[in-house]
Amino acid sequence: KEVYNEETRTIEVPIELIEGGTNYQIVYDVYINEKALEDKGKDIHNTIEVEGKNPDGSPTKVKEETVLPEGGEEIKLADPKPEKNVNVENKTKPGEEPKKGDELVYTVEIKNTQENSEWKEAVIEEEIPEGVELIGETIEIEYPDGHKETVKISEVYDEETRTLRIPVGDLYGNESVKIRYNVRVLRESQDRR
């Protein structure tokens, strides 16, 4: 039997008779949705109301009770599940194996694959292989909303460790950020990924 009214957001369970010394439990699972995160006015309190009649037909008086699940005072986002993908294209000779002197385009994407989560202060780190050199002066960053920015290579590249380190801000569930940069092949048969 259907006991949940989606319009009023109430569960109503009729019980014909509760004899003395007996009790009933209603157990149900809920999912905390994005409304509890987006609107601080939407909390996760549950209000329980019990009503019925005494043997003489008069109404049974039961105090209304509002309960909050343990830890429900502050709704927090879930932990993130980071994922990283790297794609390399030969800009000089598309579709061909890279040769010395070819220009390659690297696209590095990081994504938070966990719904209703937050990856705070995400950073893309990439070690540039010995067999290539960075070319150009900037790196393109594409943010979750689609807008693009550039950052100077000199500000995010450590020549000694050959490492790019690019802060990209916070990533919420299913959001991703991409960076693109170009390199030139110095030596063949070098692992470029």
Side-chain angles (χ1 to χ4, degrees):
K1 183 179 178 181
E2 198 70 41
V3 295
Y4 178 60
N5 184 324
E6 194 168 345
E7 190 176 327
T8 61
R9 301 184 60 79
T10 56
I11 296 172
E12 187 174 322
V13 181
I15 300 170
E16 290 297 321
L17 175 66
I18 300 179
E19 296 182 352
T22 61
N23 62 66
Y24 285 82
Q25 284 187 337
I26 299 170
V27 180
Y28 57 96
D29 296 320
V30 297
Y31 173 76
I32 298 175
N33 61 32
E34 63 278 357
K35 289 181 182 177
L37 299 166
E38 294 168 358
D39 185 353
K40 295 303 178 186
K42 305 281 187 190
D43 62 30
I44 59 170
H45 286 85
N46 286 296
T47 300
I48 294 96
E49 297 178 15
V50 180
E51 61 181 48
K53 293 181 180 178
N54 295 315
D56 64 4
S58 61
T60 303
K61 295 180 180 178
V62 179
K63 186 179 178 182
E64 181 181 289
E65 186 177 356
T66 299
V67 295
L68 179 66
E70 185 177 342
E73 296 85 1
E74 182 182 356
I75 306 303
K76 296 180 181 179
L77 291 160
D79 290 337
K81 285 187 182 174
E83 184 178 279
K84 178 180 173 182
N85 294 299
V86 181
N87 184 54
V88 185
E89 294 180 17
N90 189 333
K91 186 176 179 181
T92 305
K93 300 168 187 168
E96 293 188 21
E97 282 292 313
K99 304 288 185 186
K100 184 176 179 179
D102 285 356
E103 183 178 338
L104 310 179
V105 180
Y106 277 68
T107 302
V108 181
E109 178 182 27
I110 61 168
K111 183 175 184 178
N112 178 5
T113 61
Q114 177 64 53
E115 285 190 51
N116 298 314
S117 68
E118 182 180 18
W119 183 0
K120 290 185 177 238
E121 300 174 4
V123 176
I124 297 178
E125 279 196 15
E126 271 294 289
E127 185 176 335
I128 305 301
E130 294 278 348
V132 300
E133 65 177 352
L134 283 167
I135 56 177
E137 296 182 358
T138 60
I139 291 174
E140 180 184 86
I141 305 171
E142 183 178 342
Y143 289 94
D145 61 3
H147 91 276
K148 297 176 182 178
E149 295 179 6
T150 57
V151 62
K152 289 182 179 179
I153 289 175
S154 60
E155 295 175 354
V156 295
Y157 181 57
D158 184 325
E159 291 187 17
E160 188 175 327
T161 62
R162 300 185 62 83
T163 303
L164 286 169
R165 183 177 169 81
I166 304 173
V168 294
D170 300 340
L171 287 178
Y172 293 93
N174 294 320
E175 287 187 340
S176 63
V177 170
K178 294 178 183 177
I179 64 166
R180 292 182 186 86
Y181 59 90
N182 294 11
V183 301
R184 181 176 291 110
V185 179
L186 300 176
R187 299 197 299 270
E188 294 182 29
S189 69
Q190 175 73 30
D191 181 15
R192 284 169 287 275
R193 184 61 265 135

